[in-house]
Amino acid sequence: MAPVRFRVNGKPLSVDADPSTPLLWVLRDHLGMTGTKFGCGIAQCGACTVHLNGDAVRSCQVPLESIADASVTTIEALATNGGAHLQQLWAELNVPQCGYCQAGMLMAAADLLKKTPKPTDEDIDGAMTNICRCGTYPRVRAAIHRAAEKAA
Amino acid sequence: MKGLLMQQDGAAGDLPLDRRRFLVSAAVVGGGMALGIGRGGAATGAGGKPVTGPWGPDAAQGSEFSPWIEIAPDDIVTIRVPQPEIGNGAMTQAAMTVTEELECDWAKVRVAFASIQRNHIEKGVYNVGFQGFFGGHSTEPDRMAHVLQLGASARERLKAAAAARWSVPVADISVKNSVLTHAGSGRTLRYGEVATEAARIVLPAEPARKPRSEWRLIGKSSPSKLNIPDIAHGRATYGIDVKLPGMVHAALMQSPVQGGKLKSHKPEAVLKMPGVRAVIVLDPAKTRGVPAGTKQAATFGFGDCQVQSAVAVIADHYWQARTALEALPVEWDAGSGAQWTDSAKIYAAASELRGKDGARTVKKAGDVATATGKRVVEGDYGTPYCENAMMEPLNATVLVTADGAEAWVPTQDQQQAYWTVIDETGLSPEKVKVHQTFVGGGFGRRTQADDVRMAVAIAKEFPGKPVKTIWTREETFRQGRYRTPITTQYKAVLDDATGLPQMIMGDVAYVGTRPSFMLPLGFSDQPYFNSGIIPNVRLTSANLPITILNGAWRAPCYNSHAFNLETFIDECAVAAGIDPLDYRLKLLAKWDKAWSDTLRVAAEKAGWGAKLPKGEGLGIAISCWPVANMHNNGSVIATVARVSVSQQGELRVRQVDVAFDCGSVANADAVRAQVEGGTMYGLNACLNEEMTVKDGAMVEGNFDEYPMMHMADAPVLNVHFEALSGHERMAIIGEAPTGPIQPAVGNAIFAATGKRLRRTPFRTQDLSWS
């Protein structure tokens, strides 16, 4: 198979790997971008959430062969893609504990706020299906509400 | 040391030059690992220079005042911390402690992980207080006193250097925010400007530390964790993120039945697959052992940290290794573990042992046979196997050469990891380095270093190249070191007049744990059994040896004992016709007031006593970690849960109120976060968690089979500080909340439905009512 061309964080790239390789491992192993995390490999936990053509997706389920000409945004570029205020709030509200799931949480939260600038608790429940084992859910919720207030 | 590095350069000849330079600088200083943690800016090391990884440049870049404290010319203070950062803020707390006495500018404080190798070579410079390299004990009193003293000493040496520079009395110099000021002239110097000469000063006597009443940071301020900006920008390096030149990747498959052996495999079937470099067989017989004459100091020993029979595939990329491993034909000999055909068989065999001849009496008071009363309460309570399920799957990266080894690990205990590398490779301690990375959740799973052991065993079969081994989520789940299953048969005879127990008998069975890990915490240490309020007590423990491996699971054993005991006590209250809150207050009347205070605060905040419709209920429970039978000790936690249960049996935990007494708090928001986290952890355990066994192997492999609460399931969670006693201890807080939430929810379900749940998880039980 020919190398697959796509963009990551605005930069055009070409990756030559097995076409079934999940985007998660393309990012982590082939491109050395380790901000996107491996948690479960079956789209359950959301630690690997990235934006694909502007939508939050679980990159462990996206094979390399499916992303020709696509545009991918990862946690490394969230700050320059409208997420800087969220990242700031994550520190202000001391949201993360171990932090491992939080890249995925932030990518999901940014996607939610883009589509629903003033989310209700129900909106948050529906959109934020990422798993956190440390129990940061109340703080993630509070930070999303705070971000919505600040943007208003 | 030099020999190791020369050898590494020779053996790993394809490592690029910058890597060699890194190793050489390590040889020169043999020092700590500066981990740059910015405050919103880019990751930088001491002196503001960028670092390449969590181990960073291995050399001091400023002036060292002690192995813990370094100050650079630009005023950046780097504090080297022995314990890992597992999410509890231990690293940030250590920085707060130094800053309290050093009087440096918080914005200029950076934190690095201390080197266990340096600790060994310099004879324990970091191993201060209880289990120095173990996570979580940042407010342990001996360590805190030591670190405060180091800060005070550095401050006085900076003052002495400034005094010498200005030829003025030291007494005329004051310090604030990394600036030294001369009272008479108003002249100032920054810490960085005098750090070099100050670091050389030896004080005639150690300075006195501030009285506690003058602390301005500890207990007064709640800074967020220093590593959050790096986490939020995807820059924080966890073990799984380690990148090294020439690194290859390994995927691992251990015997599905623990204790089983590899019978056959066909490496030729996968060796020609893309990227595959090797197929490796792991065998405990290949462990070389700690060199003769060297006394090992592994924190927990190696009992739960042996090589398991396994195969691994090494490839250029992880996905290639994993794909090839899945295609590898493998046959296993399950061994004796196969006799455990299902979980019920295990728990039945363990329950048989309770209270019998082999059981050990762990508490005895009075004579249980003398108790009289019309009301007898009996029940059989238990919790099952559970998996720690930390979000970062197990992994480690290891480079082994003929004469040295380095490991990059997300461990909860660098000391355990270090001695495990030494034991597996047979190298002398001076030739082994361990690099602490960030830890994507531990909850006890990364304490025993069995993960490190397996990664070293793989890497030593592929010398000269760094090998990163990543467990799949399924391998992580099915090769756990599980929560010890604990069942307890309780019996009480209630006094006819008071309703309180005249006697309690409790017979515990542990499954498959080593005797040293049969922890009675939350059981025989409870004030109920130690304050004299119950005149006749007999408690026993038995253990069923088994092939399935156990380990530490957030607040080991306590998390089960708390459920079993506090569910039983609730049943006693109901049998006595006394409100469960009042009943506990009566039972704790002869113990520290703090216990009653936590109960009262949690109950009051939760609206205890309100009349609720059927299908809604409040439940309460209390416990204390780590040791409850000493006065003013540990963290006492009282939890009230409010649940609703539909007639169809759908359970919803609406609200949780937690009151606690850990004495005092150093960082209130860090404590709040740990109470939240520990409560959520216990909540998920009681609602959802069970690993089941089939033919000796673990069944559940991922989150689709082992459910986790999501945001939508999380209750309103209120943490109340009003019960804090103000006692001087700052007890560890991450474990204690995991206990009482479980019986609190079960007791609330009883209040709502009349159904008494004596086993977790509740998810699998019929809660419907009419």
Side-chain angles (χ1 to χ4, degrees):
Chain A
M1 184 181 153
V4 178
R5 293 172 191 285
F6 56 104
R7 297 174 86 84
V8 177
N9 299 334
K11 193 174 151 195
L13 290 163
S14 163
V15 170
D16 187 6
D18 187 289
S20 71
T21 308
L23 172 58
L24 166 65
W25 294 105
V26 170
L27 290 168
R28 292 184 54 83
D29 254 17
H30 295 263
L31 301 175
M33 300 175 68
T34 53
T36 304
K37 300 300 192 225
F38 166 50
C40 70
I42 59 166
Q44 285 279 315
C45 77
C48 66
T49 303
V50 300
H51 297 170
L52 179 65
N53 296 327
D55 294 318
V57 298
R58 297 195 167 171
S59 63
C60 70
Q61 298 301 303
V62 178
L64 175 63
E65 62 193 340
S66 73
I67 59 165
D69 303 323
S71 174
V72 177
T73 304
T74 71
I75 186 69
E76 285 90 346
L78 181 62
T80 50
N81 283 272
H85 65 300
L86 267 180
Q87 290 164 312
Q88 181 61 35
L89 280 168
W90 247 240
E92 270 176 36
L93 300 185
N94 207 13
V95 172
Q97 290 191 25
C98 87
Y100 191 79
C101 73
Q102 297 293 335
M105 285 280 186
L106 279 158
M107 296 307 284
D111 185 62
L112 167 65
L113 286 166
K114 191 176 74 181
K115 291 165 183 167
T116 312
K118 294 286 274 179
T120 63
D121 278 335
E122 290 68 33
D123 294 331
I124 293 172
D125 288 346
M128 300 297 294
T129 57
N130 305 46
I131 294 174
C132 169
R133 188 60 162 151
C134 297
T136 63
Y137 297 135
R139 289 177 189 239
V140 170
R141 185 188 299 280
I144 291 172
H145 281 312
R146 183 80 71 87
E149 284 162 24
K150 279 199 169 180
Chain B
M1 188 65 209
K2 228 168 199 168
L4 155 68
L5 296 160
M6 296 302 288
Q7 184 62 38
Q8 276 177 335
D9 271 359
D14 58 347
L15 292 181
L17 194 61
D18 61 345
R19 168 76 183 148
R20 283 195 208 142
R21 203 173 288 131
F22 163 67
L23 292 167
V24 170
S25 80
V28 172
V29 178
M33 299 154 284
L35 165 57
I37 294 174
R39 294 267 299 162
T44 52
K49 293 176 189 164
V51 299
T52 54
W55 51 96
D58 216 351
Q61 297 189 355
S63 303
E64 268 205 353
F65 285 70
S66 84
W68 293 65
I69 301 170
E70 173 189 322
I71 302 177
D74 62 359
D75 294 348
I76 295 294
V77 176
T78 301
I79 298 163
R80 286 189 259 279
V81 182
Q83 69 265 42
E85 179 50 68
I86 54 178
N88 53 10
M91 171 187 247
T92 302
Q93 182 55 50
M96 279 177 75
T97 307
V98 169
T99 303
E100 182 67 64
E101 284 285 357
L102 184 54
E103 302 287 1
C104 51
D105 181 352
W106 181 248
K108 291 175 179 166
V109 172
R110 306 288 181 267
V111 194
F113 294 120
S115 160
I116 181 69
Q117 188 203 45
R118 180 174 182 181
N119 181 72
H120 177 77
I121 292 168
E122 298 184 16
K123 306 204 184 322
V125 286
Y126 296 113
N127 222 343
V128 179
F130 179 70
Q131 296 180 331
F133 282 85
F134 186 46
H137 297 280
S138 55
T139 54
E140 196 266 340
D142 291 345
R143 192 181 316 183
M144 247 184 133
H146 178 77
V147 175
L148 285 165
Q149 192 65 51
L150 292 175
S153 174
R155 180 197 68 226
E156 289 306 310
R157 287 149 77 193
L158 288 159
K159 283 165 73 175
R165 184 124 19 131
W166 291 327
S167 301
V168 300
V170 174
D172 293 349
I173 293 175
S174 62
V175 291
K176 194 180 178 187
N177 279 343
S178 301
V179 176
L180 299 133
T181 303
H182 178 235
S185 65
R187 282 175 291 181
T188 62
L189 280 167
R190 292 180 293 102
Y191 279 11
E193 292 176 292
V194 290
T196 308
E197 59 224 66
R200 292 194 204 106
I201 290 173
V202 178
L203 297 171
E206 275 297 303
R209 300 197 300 271
K210 275 185 204 176
R212 194 166 160 151
S213 57
E214 288 177 19
W215 283 351
R216 58 178 181 84
L217 199 54
I218 301 170
K220 304 275 168 50
S221 170
S222 285
S224 294
K225 286 183 280 295
L226 287 168
N227 55 341
I228 291 181
D230 284 344
I231 288 170
H233 289 80
R235 293 191 300 252
T237 304
Y238 297 84
I240 206 167
D241 303 328
V242 166
K243 292 188 280 273
L244 294 168
M247 184 172 76
V248 293
H249 296 76
L252 169 70
M253 184 194 297
Q254 299 164 77
S255 169
V257 177
Q258 290 183 326
K261 298 268 181 294
L262 179 66
K263 192 154 70 176
S264 69
H265 73 308
K266 292 183 180 155
E268 63 278 7
V270 301
L271 277 168
K272 294 204 170 101
M273 288 176 70
V276 173
R277 300 243 191 152
V279 175
I280 285 171
V281 173
L282 294 111
D283 184 335
K286 295 180 187 173
T287 296
R288 294 182 185 134
V290 172
T294 299
K295 189 167 172 287
Q296 66 94 350
T299 312
F300 303 102
F302 299 135
D304 293 318
C305 173
Q306 301 294 320
V307 168
Q308 303 298 307
S309 181
V311 287
V313 173
I314 294 179
D316 294 336
H317 295 289
Y318 174 67
W319 194 250
Q320 295 169 330
R322 181 174 167 160
T323 306
L325 184 65
E326 281 164 7
L328 179 69
V330 184
E331 281 188 290
W332 303 97
D333 175 359
S336 68
Q339 70 181 289
W340 303 111
T341 47
D342 60 37
S343 305
K345 190 172 175 183
I346 296 169
Y347 300 145
S351 295
E352 272 299 301
L353 303 174
R354 291 183 305 198
K356 301 284 170 56
D357 289 349
R360 189 159 51 95
T361 300
V362 294
K363 181 83 195 170
K364 191 172 185 306
D367 181 354
V368 292
T370 62
T372 56
K374 287 197 278 293
R375 287 164 296 185
V376 176
V377 185
E378 279 184 280
D380 191 347
Y381 309 83
T383 61
Y385 281 115
C386 293
E387 154 64 13
N388 308 66
M390 53 292 161
M391 292 310 297
E392 181 186 7
L394 294 174
N395 69 85
T397 303
V398 182
L399 170 65
V400 178
T401 68
D403 198 34
E406 281 187 80
W408 291 257
V409 290
T411 180
Q412 280 183 262
D413 189 324
Q414 229 192 114
Q415 184 168 341
Q416 177 76 12
Y418 179 61
W419 286 98
T420 299
V421 180
I422 292 163
D423 187 57
E424 187 54 29
T425 58
L427 292 162
S428 71
E430 292 75 19
K431 293 179 176 180
V432 168
K433 289 181 76 99
V434 168
H435 307 284
Q436 174 78 54
T437 69
F438 283 124
V439 183
F443 317 116
R445 181 64 186 92
R446 302 185 209 266
T447 55
Q448 304 294 318
D450 58 284
D451 47 350
V452 180
R453 170 83 71 181
M454 295 305 287
V456 177
I458 292 168
K460 92 182 181 202
E461 301 290 312
F462 204 76
K465 291 275 184 195
V467 183
K468 182 194 284 183
T469 301
I470 302 174
W471 279 238
T472 59
R473 173 57 64 185
E474 289 78 9
E475 187 77 4
T476 303
F477 261 73
R478 295 184 178 132
Q479 298 293 341
R481 296 296 183 273
Y482 302 101
R483 179 190 194 188
T484 299
I486 297 177
T487 62
T488 310
Q489 175 74 45
Y490 276 116
K491 180 178 180 182
V493 175
L494 307 186
D495 186 276
D496 287 339
T498 66
L500 298 184
Q502 272 202 8
M503 81 89 176
I504 286 184
M505 284 167 34
D507 298 310
V508 166
Y510 300 81
V511 177
T513 204
R514 291 195 294 130
S516 59
F517 287 164
M518 288 166 62
L519 302 177
L521 311 175
F523 176 48
S524 60
D525 66 337
Q526 288 306 289
Y528 302 147
F529 305 131
N530 291 281
S531 71
I533 197 111
I534 302 172
N536 307 295
V537 177
R538 196 204 70 199
L539 305 175
T540 71
S541 285
N543 182 41
L544 174 72
I546 190 173
T547 41
I548 296 165
L549 296 165
N550 293 359
W553 190 96
R554 198 168 189 166
C557 298
Y558 160 96
N559 58 59
S560 297
H561 290 310
F563 172 75
N564 295 349
L565 177 58
E566 280 293 274
T567 307
F568 171 64
I569 292 294
D570 219 65
E571 291 206 62
C572 292
V574 171
I578 298 174
D579 173 86
L581 165 65
D582 293 339
Y583 198 74
R584 286 177 174 81
L585 291 172
K586 288 173 192 289
L587 277 174
L588 292 166
K590 293 185 176 179
W591 195 249
D592 295 358
K593 179 174 166 289
W595 283 63
S596 299
D597 287 347
T598 60
L599 283 169
R600 284 197 195 93
V601 170
E604 183 189 321
K605 298 286 183 181
W608 189 265
K611 179 83 183 146
L612 298 173
K614 181 151 191 199
E616 290 184 36
L618 289 161
I620 192 165
I622 187 169
S623 211
C624 171
W625 171 275
V627 177
N629 61 0
M630 293 159 67
H631 292 285
N632 292 314
N633 191 68
S635 289
V636 184
I637 306 274
T639 305
V640 176
R642 180 183 190 127
V643 308
S644 62
V645 183
S646 71
Q647 280 186 278
Q648 293 71 39
E650 192 195 344
L651 168 66
R652 172 97 211 179
V653 181
R654 299 278 171 194
Q655 182 173 323
V656 174
D657 289 88
V658 186
F660 67 99
D661 178 36
C662 59
S664 307
V665 298
N667 176 328
D669 193 57
V671 167
R672 182 186 294 277
Q674 284 302 293
V675 175
E676 291 168 355
T679 301
M680 295 287 277
Y681 200 85
L683 181 55
N684 196 64
C686 72
L687 295 179
N688 291 325
E689 294 185 46
E690 178 172 11
M691 293 294 292
T692 59
V693 179
K694 184 157 176 20
D695 299 328
M698 287 299 179
V699 173
E700 292 74 17
N702 211 321
F703 296 120
D704 55 338
E705 298 170 315
Y706 192 88
M708 290 287 150
M709 295 172 61
H710 291 87
M711 187 89 82
D713 310 310
V716 173
L717 178 46
N718 303 315
V719 179
H720 306 287
F721 283 64
E722 287 87 338
L724 268 175
S725 62
H727 180 261
E728 65 177 9
R729 75 187 187 280
M730 296 175 174
I732 51 173
I733 192 73
E735 291 90 347
T738 309
I741 178 66
Q742 300 174 72
V745 172
N747 296 340
I749 292 170
F750 176 80
T753 67
K755 285 196 167 178
R756 179 60 70 181
L757 303 184
R758 301 190 180 93
R759 293 267 195 256
T760 64
F762 305 146
R763 169 175 64 90
T764 58
Q765 301 176 53
D766 176 15
L767 306 184
S768 63
W769 55 274
S770 54

